[in-house]
Amino acid sequence: MKVAEAVGRALSAAGVGQVFGVVGSGNFHVTNAMIAAGARFVAARHEGGAATMADAYARTSGEVTVVSVHQGPGLTNAMTGIAEAAKSRTPLIVLAAEVTEPRSNFHVDQEALARAVGAVAVRVTSAQEAVEQTCAAVALAVRERRTVLLNLPLPVQASEVPEGALARAAPPAKRPAVEPDAADVTALAESLGRSRRPVFVAGRGAREPGGREALAALAERYGALLATSAVARGLFHGDPWSLDVSGGFASPLAVELIQGADLIVGWGCALNMWTMRHGRLIGAGTTVVQVDDDPSALGAHRPVHLGVTGDVRLTARRVSAAGGARREGYRTPETAAALAARLRWHDVPYEDTGTRERIDPRTLGIALDEILPAERVVGVDSGNFMGYPTMYLSVPDEQGFCFTQAFQSIGLGLATTIGAALARPDRLPVAALGDGGALMSAVELDTVRRLGLPMVVVVYDDEAYGAEVHHFGPDGHPLDTVRFPPTDIAAVGRGYGFEAVTVRTRTDLKAVADWVAGPRSAPLLIDAKVVADQGAWWLEEAFRGH
């Protein structure tokens, strides 16, 4: 058996069941070996899309995933998606063929590329060690929650592995849960016991199995309100004491209640400038606690009064076991009444600025939330529009929202939704895109149609890179470079085999309701011509962070 086949079969034996990619000569045999071993392969139309699909699938499913690419340009095409995954600490294997001859057209320093975006590079160096090195790469991705570039040199691929080499391939041990220090548990319990208005903010680290239940039980004991970062949105869906998202997308009531907290505990959450609005959500006298199983994360974005190194679920359980009388805390009748009446963005009054030619994105979001089935998985691209679907489209749980924004690249939203949809085939996938990102990634509309995904693609079309328009326009800068003539994006969708509708007013959304009620035999693209009269406040947050 040659190395290429052994590596593919070793990846499958190590527990990888899903592969995305674009196949060329360099990754042809290894990809086919994974398929022969039982892995599901999804062919994207561009390596950048493939990498983002793999990232989103891994986030949503919780399983390590592979993206397979050709040497050189195959890898460079995938780098934006790889950067997003690496910055998000997604356990992902980037399986890349590699040339070793410097004079080859395909030669680049692939290891340096990986390091440049925060991924870890390893290499299969010999036939004798190929299986062990492959399994070690998977173990590294799982144990360290890292995106790992597994370079597979072409000369090594053709070598013969020793007899019985695959017998040593096996799934890696799961990342061990970090037990918190007893003194830290006591200190956190005492802080909660003193608090009158505690708020829990859960991040991606709280999405692990049992995290929601452990945090909800602890919050009930101490009367804490529950919020999430954007990437964990939906974690506390249905809980009457949930504030939904903390940060730039938080509703006015959520902001008011978080700012009124006397104790904020971040659970597996970075408490960064986005989640805490550059610190403006933290009151002057508020105690800040952070719990994370990575000690380097504690206090990385802002000073904390107490940092606890520990697994979220374990730490919450240990604090619950430490005792302490039940407290009303922030869960007062007044708070309950406010949450029931005005937590959702739907309940916040606004002046509809729509016309006969353009729909207000808030009106669009409220209507779509009513029309589309509640069991959905929403993927959101980046841009001026991005807050509208995030704020107005509800999700059933933390697996209903996939937010690839660590690199702030536009053009990832469609591929994100494809990956998430394949991880949750029981739900309606909804891709929320700006016109810039939609046209940048339109090639993957073919992938949606080819896979038969019953997807809804919503394009918020303001005929511009809206972020730049609203950032530079008020200062009088010329905007010709970031504005574009009208494009019939619905026609583009039809060209790829979608049903499509152009939406200018709420009345036009009847076609969406008809599609939802119908057989859904083809995916649906909604070309929403939205008003573009103002920049979004979350956009100003983003530019302050540049």
Side-chain angles (χ1 to χ4, degrees):
M1 182 185 299
K2 296 189 183 300
V3 165
E5 182 180 355
V7 168
R9 291 187 175 274
L11 285 167
S12 182
V16 175
Q18 181 67 57
V19 190
F20 298 86
V22 175
V23 172
S25 59
N27 64 327
F28 181 86
H29 295 299
V30 66
T31 304
N32 281 339
M34 294 194 69
I35 296 169
R40 179 186 184 184
F41 175 70
V42 171
R45 284 301 191 177
H46 190 276
E47 290 90 349
T52 301
M53 291 174 202
D55 179 14
Y57 185 93
R59 295 182 194 219
T60 305
S61 69
E63 301 171 3
V64 65
T65 307
V66 164
V67 55
S68 175
V69 297
H70 185 67
Q71 63 270 23
L75 179 61
T76 57
N77 279 347
M79 286 311 298
T80 297
I82 294 169
E84 170 65 36
K87 287 176 178 289
S88 298
R89 298 293 291 267
T90 301
L92 180 68
I93 300 294
V94 181
L95 178 61
E98 183 183 33
V99 298
T100 55
E101 171 53 59
R103 289 172 293 182
S104 167
N105 289 348
F106 293 129
H107 183 266
V108 292
D109 189 339
Q110 298 190 173
E111 184 176 348
L113 282 174
R115 286 199 311 268
V117 298
V120 178
V122 298
R123 179 175 287 107
V124 175
T125 59
S126 69
Q128 289 72 27
E129 298 178 280
V131 171
E132 289 86 346
Q133 290 170 335
T134 299
C135 291
V138 177
L140 177 61
V142 172
R143 185 179 64 251
E144 301 294 334
R145 291 195 296 254
R146 299 297 296 272
T147 294
V148 178
L149 170 62
L150 179 60
N151 284 312
L152 188 55
L154 296 181
V156 177
Q157 288 194 40
S159 304
E160 293 283 337
V161 300
E163 184 104 16
L166 278 174
R168 298 188 291 275
K174 293 183 178 180
R175 178 182 173 89
V178 178
E179 186 76 42
D181 182 79
D184 289 339
V185 168
T186 299
L188 178 50
E190 290 174 349
S191 294
L192 286 167
R194 291 190 299 267
S195 174
R196 297 178 60 190
R197 298 181 305 281
V199 171
F200 289 177
V201 183
R204 191 173 179 185
R207 291 180 46 156
E208 299 295 328
R212 172 195 162 107
E213 293 75 16
L215 290 178
L218 184 63
E220 183 179 5
R221 175 186 288 274
Y222 288 101
L225 303 182
L226 297 162
T228 72
S229 65
V231 294
R233 183 170 180 240
L235 183 67
F236 300 117
H237 178 79
D239 192 299
W241 300 104
S242 170
L243 304 178
D244 200 13
V245 177
S246 172
F249 305 136
S251 71
L253 177 61
V255 169
E256 176 187 325
L257 292 171
I258 295 169
Q259 287 178 331
D262 61 2
L263 172 67
I264 293 175
V265 185
W267 297 90
C269 176
L271 298 178
N272 58 26
M273 58 186 175
W274 316 115
T275 307
M276 290 289 108
R277 289 195 177 182
H278 294 267
R280 294 196 306 279
L281 294 186
I282 302 172
T286 303
T287 299
V288 179
V289 178
Q290 189 178 3
V291 179
D292 203 291
D293 65 1
D294 179 0
S296 68
L298 301 177
H301 291 276
R302 65 187 61 263
V304 296
H305 297 90
L306 173 64
V308 180
T309 301
D311 174 81
V312 166
R313 178 181 59 84
L314 275 182
T315 302
R317 287 184 172 180
R318 296 294 181 267
V319 175
S320 289
R326 289 187 176 274
R327 298 173 59 86
E328 180 183 60
Y330 225 159
R331 300 188 173 193
T332 64
E334 294 77 14
T335 302
L339 289 173
R342 55 188 180 96
L343 173 66
R344 300 188 315 158
W345 276 103
H346 298 55
D347 304 320
V348 178
Y350 68 95
E351 180 184 354
D352 191 319
T353 60
T355 67
R356 288 183 298 177
E357 295 299 316
R358 294 197 168 270
I359 189 168
D360 189 305
R362 295 165 292 188
T363 302
L364 174 68
I366 292 171
L368 288 175
D369 196 44
E370 295 170 352
I371 294 169
L372 299 176
E375 284 296 311
R376 63 185 71 145
V377 55
V378 178
V380 181
D381 210 330
S382 191
N384 183 61
F385 79 96
M386 63 190 288
Y388 296 115
T390 304
M391 298 185 306
Y392 289 99
L393 296 182
S394 61
V395 294
D397 55 29
E398 72 279 9
Q399 290 190 339
F401 190 67
C402 199
F403 197 67
T404 46
Q405 299 291 338
F407 200 31
Q408 289 184 251
S409 172
I410 71 169
L412 305 188
L414 180 57
T416 291
T417 313
I418 294 171
L422 292 170
R424 290 305 307 254
D426 56 323
R427 295 181 174 178
L428 176 72
V430 181
L433 320 175
D435 54 309
L439 292 172
M440 192 178 289
S441 61
V443 65
E444 300 304 349
L445 294 173
D446 173 77
T447 304
V448 175
R449 187 69 178 93
R450 181 164 28 91
L451 294 175
L453 296 176
M455 183 181 291
V456 175
V457 177
V458 187
V459 182
Y460 293 73
D461 183 6
D462 63 358
E463 299 170 0
Y465 290 135
E468 283 64 35
V469 167
H470 295 297
H471 184 61
F472 295 108
D475 294 326
H477 295 291
L479 299 174
D480 292 346
T481 55
V482 291
R483 281 184 170 149
F484 300 91
T487 299
D488 189 348
I489 298 177
V492 174
R494 293 187 193 99
Y496 279 102
F498 278 60
E499 294 185 31
V501 56
T502 299
V503 172
R504 298 182 183 277
T505 68
R506 183 162 183 155
T507 304
D508 296 327
L509 289 168
K510 183 182 182 301
V512 179
D514 291 343
W515 181 89
V516 170
R520 307 183 200 174
S521 55
L524 175 69
L525 186 143
I526 303 169
D527 183 6
K529 306 300 186 182
V530 297
V531 295
D533 53 356
Q534 61 184 359
W537 61 92
W538 58 84
L539 179 68
E540 294 306 316
E541 298 281 344
F543 278 114
R544 272 204 297 275
H546 280 181

